[in-house]
Amino acid sequence: MNFNSALWQEIQQGESKTLEFKQQLPKGEQLVKTLIAFANTSGGKLIVGVADDRQITGIQTDEFELMDQIASIVHENCLPTLLPSIYLETLNNKTLVIVQVHRGSQLPCYLKSKGREQGTYVRIGASNRPASLDMIHELERQRLNQSFDEQIAWDFKLTEIDITPLEKAFQQRGKELNEQRLHNLKLIKTEHGITHPTHGLIILLGLYEHVEIKCSRFKGTDMTVFLDKKEYTGNLFYQLEQTELFIKNHLHLKAEILGLQRTETYEIPMAAIREALVNALVHRDYSNFGRDIKVGIYDDALNIVSPGGLPHGITLNEALQGRSEIRNKVLARVFKALGYIEQWGSGIARIQQLCQAADCQLPVFKETGDFFDIEFIRDVQPSAVSEGDQTGGQIGGQIGGQITESQRSVLLLIQNKPQISRQELAKALQINPSAVQKHIENLKAQGVIERIGGTRGYWQVKI
């Protein structure tokens, strides 16, 4: 057996999004479901003559009759017509029939006998799944080279929408968000003399219920016990900012002496985490209204999981090599205009480079079912402490360790923005202003913070 052959190595990796094994030719519809799923997703190969355990068994019938039979089944059962490549290869002196399908250009492909709504299949992991109506609509948009966020959001009236958060984001970067730019970025569209918002504008402003990030800090290495939990809604820039603060509050700090200066850095570079969060916000599937982004912090890892898998059927290997496919064109344009995206297709490479430069373990990128998962490996050395724990330790040495987790969150926000108001603290922490006031009074009484100046003054942390 040629152990160095590309086909042998491919088989040894097992069934996947783009590879399926059959010991013998499956029944007509079962064969076609697999080929349709490949065509609707990333393309792929069906290899006849390989068992599920990757053993090479070869085909037991006349290979040319089998190839003609496959061509006939595909022609009779697929719409639009699929034109697979059907060819032979030999491994271990045994003949294999390979049916290779490229990603379709006339999407969606479906089983003729069941019709488009019931007969469309997609590839999720190593299995074929019936496509939901949302998936079918997404395949149609891909055929037309459109994205969900470019389409008009008919349930919203432009006159009833406050775009102030978006205007502020542009102003902070010295740019004006006028009507012409709104049109150019496809945040609005005019039809029959009436201007409407697109899904992209509604998503950016966070007006859909499923546009949120759920953050959790778990005890240990599984999801059994929650230590902290927050759900962030509102415009995407606010969600990004608050999620970063949540993560900072639960990561370790490392101290180094560089020259005469003591510097503190997070165990995972925040620039890499920010890149991963932007990636999740820009590339997740917003057309499915039942899912959201989830951030999980464990003792040994930080996970950022976004719904939708990789866009437009690209494979994980292609994404790791820098191939760029944009699922949400409006969001991508806006985030690039605001400087959150440097170059198309550079996100994953940049995350890896930032972790490498910080002498951290490289993150793990996974496509699990219909989700994309970035896992950062945490520093679990006993000497490391989280920022919240470190604050508590410092305070504990001075005032007996009476700082609560909520008060640590207040301190972190004040450290990041000394001019922050009580109302802003309440909004960031998702608690009542009266509760914020109690935390502040407690911290002041313990000598941890001091107010400098009046209403236009700022907070000073005294630890």
Side-chain angles (χ1 to χ4, degrees), residues 400-427:
Q402 300 300 312
I403 297 299
T404 68
E405 189 68 34
S406 295
Q407 289 164 6
R408 289 174 186 164
S409 298
V410 171
L411 278 176
L412 178 62
L413 290 166
I414 288 173
Q415 286 173 332
N416 279 283
K417 185 180 178 183
Q419 296 85 8
I420 194 168
S421 68
R422 290 175 175 83
Q423 290 75 19
E424 288 174 322
L425 284 167
K427 186 177 180 182

mmCIF file of all heavy atoms in Angstrom, residues 400-427:
data_model
loop_
_atom_site.group_PDB
_atom_site.id
_atom_site.type_symbol
_atom_site.label_atom_id
_atom_site.label_comp_id
_atom_site.label_asym_id
_atom_site.label_seq_id
_atom_site.Cartn_x
_atom_site.Cartn_y
_atom_site.Cartn_z
ATOM 1 N N GLY A 400 -8.514 44.159 55.070
ATOM 2 C CA GLY A 400 -9.141 42.946 55.573
ATOM 3 C C GLY A 400 -9.935 42.164 54.554
ATOM 4 O O GLY A 400 -10.698 41.287 54.912
ATOM 5 N N GLY A 401 -9.791 42.462 53.255
ATOM 6 C CA GLY A 401 -10.422 41.641 52.219
ATOM 7 C C GLY A 401 -11.925 41.738 52.162
ATOM 8 O O GLY A 401 -12.617 40.736 52.008
ATOM 9 N N GLN A 402 -12.489 42.936 52.320
ATOM 10 C CA GLN A 402 -13.940 43.096 52.329
ATOM 11 C C GLN A 402 -14.519 43.465 50.965
ATOM 12 O O GLN A 402 -15.674 43.831 50.873
ATOM 13 C CB GLN A 402 -14.326 44.183 53.350
ATOM 14 C CG GLN A 402 -13.904 43.860 54.763
ATOM 15 C CD GLN A 402 -14.534 42.578 55.258
ATOM 16 O OE1 GLN A 402 -15.734 42.381 55.120
ATOM 17 N NE2 GLN A 402 -13.731 41.689 55.805
ATOM 18 N N ILE A 403 -13.726 43.406 49.908
ATOM 19 C CA ILE A 403 -14.187 43.785 48.580
ATOM 20 C C ILE A 403 -14.957 42.624 47.956
ATOM 21 O O ILE A 403 -14.462 41.510 47.851
ATOM 22 C CB ILE A 403 -13.007 44.173 47.676
ATOM 23 C CG1 ILE A 403 -12.307 45.399 48.256
ATOM 24 C CG2 ILE A 403 -13.475 44.469 46.261
ATOM 25 C CD1 ILE A 403 -13.167 46.620 48.374
ATOM 26 N N THR A 404 -16.195 42.911 47.520
ATOM 27 C CA THR A 404 -17.012 41.884 46.863
ATOM 28 C C THR A 404 -16.700 41.835 45.370
ATOM 29 O O THR A 404 -16.052 42.733 44.823
ATOM 30 C CB THR A 404 -18.500 42.172 47.060
ATOM 31 O OG1 THR A 404 -18.830 43.368 46.335
ATOM 32 C CG2 THR A 404 -18.848 42.347 48.528
ATOM 33 N N GLU A 405 -17.212 40.792 44.700
ATOM 34 C CA GLU A 405 -16.991 40.669 43.261
ATOM 35 C C GLU A 405 -17.613 41.846 42.512
ATOM 36 O O GLU A 405 -17.042 42.377 41.556
ATOM 37 C CB GLU A 405 -17.599 39.346 42.768
ATOM 38 C CG GLU A 405 -17.252 39.000 41.330
ATOM 39 C CD GLU A 405 -15.775 38.684 41.159
ATOM 40 O OE1 GLU A 405 -15.170 38.121 42.088
ATOM 41 O OE2 GLU A 405 -15.225 39.013 40.092
ATOM 42 N N SER A 406 -18.795 42.299 42.947
ATOM 43 C CA SER A 406 -19.450 43.438 42.287
ATOM 44 C C SER A 406 -18.628 44.707 42.459
ATOM 45 O O SER A 406 -18.509 45.526 41.535
ATOM 46 C CB SER A 406 -20.858 43.636 42.858
ATOM 47 O OG SER A 406 -21.673 42.530 42.546
ATOM 48 N N GLN A 407 -18.049 44.888 43.655
ATOM 49 C CA GLN A 407 -17.231 46.069 43.888
ATOM 50 C C GLN A 407 -15.944 46.023 43.064
ATOM 51 O O GLN A 407 -15.453 47.060 42.619
ATOM 52 C CB GLN A 407 -16.912 46.179 45.381
ATOM 53 C CG GLN A 407 -18.136 46.564 46.207
ATOM 54 C CD GLN A 407 -17.970 46.308 47.687
ATOM 55 O OE1 GLN A 407 -16.891 45.929 48.148
ATOM 56 N NE2 GLN A 407 -19.048 46.506 48.448
ATOM 57 N N ARG A 408 -15.412 44.823 42.842
ATOM 58 C CA ARG A 408 -14.249 44.693 41.968
ATOM 59 C C ARG A 408 -14.598 45.136 40.547
ATOM 60 O O ARG A 408 -13.797 45.776 39.865
ATOM 61 C CB ARG A 408 -13.763 43.245 41.953
ATOM 62 C CG ARG A 408 -13.105 42.809 43.241
ATOM 63 C CD ARG A 408 -12.785 41.334 43.195
ATOM 64 N NE ARG A 408 -12.285 40.851 44.481
ATOM 65 C CZ ARG A 408 -12.212 39.588 44.819
ATOM 66 N NH1 ARG A 408 -12.595 38.657 43.976
ATOM 67 N NH2 ARG A 408 -11.741 39.219 45.994
ATOM 68 N N SER A 409 -15.811 44.776 40.103
ATOM 69 C CA SER A 409 -16.250 45.192 38.763
ATOM 70 C C SER A 409 -16.355 46.706 38.679
ATOM 71 O O SER A 409 -15.978 47.311 37.667
ATOM 72 C CB SER A 409 -17.593 44.537 38.429
ATOM 73 O OG SER A 409 -17.478 43.132 38.403
ATOM 74 N N VAL A 410 -16.863 47.340 39.758
ATOM 75 C CA VAL A 410 -16.933 48.808 39.803
ATOM 76 C C VAL A 410 -15.529 49.394 39.700
ATOM 77 O O VAL A 410 -15.275 50.342 38.944
ATOM 78 C CB VAL A 410 -17.638 49.280 41.085
ATOM 79 C CG1 VAL A 410 -17.514 50.797 41.241
ATOM 80 C CG2 VAL A 410 -19.103 48.872 41.072
ATOM 81 N N LEU A 411 -14.592 48.824 40.473
ATOM 82 C CA LEU A 411 -13.216 49.313 40.446
ATOM 83 C C LEU A 411 -12.592 49.212 39.069
ATOM 84 O O LEU A 411 -11.911 50.129 38.601
ATOM 85 C CB LEU A 411 -12.360 48.521 41.449
ATOM 86 C CG LEU A 411 -12.413 48.958 42.916
ATOM 87 C CD1 LEU A 411 -11.596 48.009 43.772
ATOM 88 C CD2 LEU A 411 -11.897 50.380 43.078
ATOM 89 N N LEU A 412 -12.822 48.073 38.386
ATOM 90 C CA LEU A 412 -12.248 47.877 37.060
ATOM 91 C C LEU A 412 -12.761 48.925 36.085
ATOM 92 O O LEU A 412 -11.996 49.504 35.309
ATOM 93 C CB LEU A 412 -12.574 46.471 36.552
ATOM 94 C CG LEU A 412 -12.077 46.139 35.144
ATOM 95 C CD1 LEU A 412 -10.557 46.215 35.085
ATOM 96 C CD2 LEU A 412 -12.542 44.763 34.703
ATOM 97 N N LEU A 413 -14.066 49.204 36.140
ATOM 98 C CA LEU A 413 -14.644 50.205 35.249
ATOM 99 C C LEU A 413 -14.082 51.598 35.551
ATOM 100 O O LEU A 413 -13.795 52.383 34.645
ATOM 101 C CB LEU A 413 -16.170 50.207 35.385
ATOM 102 C CG LEU A 413 -16.884 48.969 34.814
ATOM 103 C CD1 LEU A 413 -18.321 48.903 35.291
ATOM 104 C CD2 LEU A 413 -16.841 48.989 33.289
ATOM 105 N N ILE A 414 -13.920 51.909 36.817
ATOM 106 C CA ILE A 414 -13.362 53.202 37.208
ATOM 107 C C ILE A 414 -11.907 53.327 36.761
ATOM 108 O O ILE A 414 -11.462 54.376 36.291
ATOM 109 C CB ILE A 414 -13.490 53.405 38.735
ATOM 110 C CG1 ILE A 414 -14.962 53.653 39.093
ATOM 111 C CG2 ILE A 414 -12.619 54.551 39.226
ATOM 112 C CD1 ILE A 414 -15.229 53.710 40.584
ATOM 113 N N GLN A 415 -11.138 52.233 36.894
ATOM 114 C CA GLN A 415 -9.738 52.251 36.456
ATOM 115 C C GLN A 415 -9.635 52.493 34.957
ATOM 116 O O GLN A 415 -8.741 53.189 34.485
ATOM 117 C CB GLN A 415 -9.057 50.940 36.824
ATOM 118 C CG GLN A 415 -8.737 50.812 38.309
ATOM 119 C CD GLN A 415 -8.227 49.437 38.684
ATOM 120 O OE1 GLN A 415 -8.555 48.445 38.043
ATOM 121 N NE2 GLN A 415 -7.436 49.359 39.739
ATOM 122 N N ASN A 416 -10.564 51.904 34.190
ATOM 123 C CA ASN A 416 -10.540 52.066 32.741
ATOM 124 C C ASN A 416 -11.050 53.430 32.299
ATOM 125 O O ASN A 416 -10.655 53.932 31.249
ATOM 126 C CB ASN A 416 -11.385 50.970 32.076
ATOM 127 C CG ASN A 416 -10.640 49.657 31.952
ATOM 128 O OD1 ASN A 416 -9.795 49.492 31.089
ATOM 129 N ND2 ASN A 416 -10.938 48.727 32.840
ATOM 130 N N LYS A 417 -11.956 54.039 33.123
ATOM 131 C CA LYS A 417 -12.520 55.342 32.755
ATOM 132 C C LYS A 417 -12.794 56.133 34.037
ATOM 133 O O LYS A 417 -13.892 56.056 34.588
ATOM 134 C CB LYS A 417 -13.806 55.155 31.939
ATOM 135 C CG LYS A 417 -14.398 56.459 31.422
ATOM 136 C CD LYS A 417 -15.676 56.191 30.613
ATOM 137 C CE LYS A 417 -16.288 57.500 30.132
ATOM 138 N NZ LYS A 417 -17.567 57.268 29.397
ATOM 139 N N PRO A 418 -11.801 56.868 34.528
ATOM 140 C CA PRO A 418 -11.967 57.588 35.808
ATOM 141 C C PRO A 418 -13.135 58.581 35.810
ATOM 142 O O PRO A 418 -13.669 58.892 36.874
ATOM 143 C CB PRO A 418 -10.620 58.307 35.980
ATOM 144 C CG PRO A 418 -9.649 57.485 35.192
ATOM 145 C CD PRO A 418 -10.428 56.991 34.004
ATOM 146 N N GLN A 419 -13.529 59.088 34.636
ATOM 147 C CA GLN A 419 -14.619 60.075 34.573
ATOM 148 C C GLN A 419 -15.997 59.416 34.492
ATOM 149 O O GLN A 419 -17.008 60.102 34.363
ATOM 150 C CB GLN A 419 -14.451 60.985 33.342
ATOM 151 C CG GLN A 419 -13.200 61.844 33.368
ATOM 152 C CD GLN A 419 -11.978 61.121 32.833
ATOM 153 O OE1 GLN A 419 -12.098 60.019 32.309
ATOM 154 N NE2 GLN A 419 -10.799 61.716 32.972
ATOM 155 N N ILE A 420 -16.070 58.111 34.600
ATOM 156 C CA ILE A 420 -17.332 57.403 34.411
ATOM 157 C C ILE A 420 -18.380 57.853 35.434
ATOM 158 O O ILE A 420 -18.075 58.088 36.599
ATOM 159 C CB ILE A 420 -17.107 55.874 34.511
ATOM 160 C CG1 ILE A 420 -18.329 55.115 33.980
ATOM 161 C CG2 ILE A 420 -16.740 55.439 35.919
ATOM 162 C CD1 ILE A 420 -18.068 53.623 33.781
ATOM 163 N N SER A 421 -19.633 57.988 34.972
ATOM 164 C CA SER A 421 -20.710 58.436 35.857
ATOM 165 C C SER A 421 -21.384 57.234 36.513
ATOM 166 O O SER A 421 -21.205 56.089 36.093
ATOM 167 C CB SER A 421 -21.753 59.216 35.052
ATOM 168 O OG SER A 421 -22.430 58.352 34.157
ATOM 169 N N ARG A 422 -22.184 57.509 37.538
ATOM 170 C CA ARG A 422 -22.918 56.434 38.197
ATOM 171 C C ARG A 422 -23.899 55.768 37.243
ATOM 172 O O ARG A 422 -24.109 54.554 37.286
ATOM 173 C CB ARG A 422 -23.649 56.979 39.426
ATOM 174 C CG ARG A 422 -22.719 57.363 40.566
ATOM 175 C CD ARG A 422 -23.489 58.017 41.707
ATOM 176 N NE ARG A 422 -22.640 58.288 42.866
ATOM 177 C CZ ARG A 422 -21.859 59.354 42.993
ATOM 178 N NH1 ARG A 422 -21.790 60.239 42.008
ATOM 179 N NH2 ARG A 422 -21.120 59.509 44.081
ATOM 180 N N GLN A 423 -24.513 56.577 36.379
ATOM 181 C CA GLN A 423 -25.457 56.021 35.402
ATOM 182 C C GLN A 423 -24.749 55.082 34.425
ATOM 183 O O GLN A 423 -25.278 54.018 34.077
ATOM 184 C CB GLN A 423 -26.162 57.151 34.625
ATOM 185 C CG GLN A 423 -27.163 57.963 35.438
ATOM 186 C CD GLN A 423 -26.488 58.924 36.405
ATOM 187 O OE1 GLN A 423 -25.302 59.261 36.244
ATOM 188 N NE2 GLN A 423 -27.226 59.372 37.416
ATOM 189 N N GLU A 424 -23.554 55.464 34.012
ATOM 190 C CA GLU A 424 -22.777 54.610 33.107
ATOM 191 C C GLU A 424 -22.355 53.320 33.804
ATOM 192 O O GLU A 424 -22.363 52.239 33.210
ATOM 193 C CB GLU A 424 -21.542 55.367 32.602
ATOM 194 C CG GLU A 424 -21.856 56.465 31.606
ATOM 195 C CD GLU A 424 -20.634 57.289 31.233
ATOM 196 O OE1 GLU A 424 -19.790 57.553 32.120
ATOM 197 O OE2 GLU A 424 -20.517 57.679 30.055
ATOM 198 N N LEU A 425 -22.000 53.417 35.083
ATOM 199 C CA LEU A 425 -21.645 52.225 35.848
ATOM 200 C C LEU A 425 -22.835 51.280 35.950
ATOM 201 O O LEU A 425 -22.702 50.065 35.777
ATOM 202 C CB LEU A 425 -21.169 52.614 37.253
ATOM 203 C CG LEU A 425 -19.753 53.205 37.364
ATOM 204 C CD1 LEU A 425 -19.542 53.824 38.737
ATOM 205 C CD2 LEU A 425 -18.710 52.140 37.096
ATOM 206 N N ALA A 426 -24.006 51.847 36.221
ATOM 207 C CA ALA A 426 -25.213 51.029 36.348
ATOM 208 C C ALA A 426 -25.531 50.313 35.042
ATOM 209 O O ALA A 426 -25.875 49.124 35.029
ATOM 210 C CB ALA A 426 -26.391 51.906 36.773
ATOM 211 N N LYS A 427 -25.381 51.035 33.932
ATOM 212 C CA LYS A 427 -25.661 50.437 32.625
ATOM 213 C C LYS A 427 -24.661 49.347 32.294
ATOM 214 O O LYS A 427 -25.024 48.273 31.797
ATOM 215 C CB LYS A 427 -25.635 51.524 31.546
ATOM 216 C CG LYS A 427 -26.047 51.035 30.165
ATOM 217 C CD LYS A 427 -26.074 52.180 29.167
ATOM 218 C CE LYS A 427 -26.487 51.687 27.788
ATOM 219 N NZ LYS A 427 -26.475 52.787 26.779
#
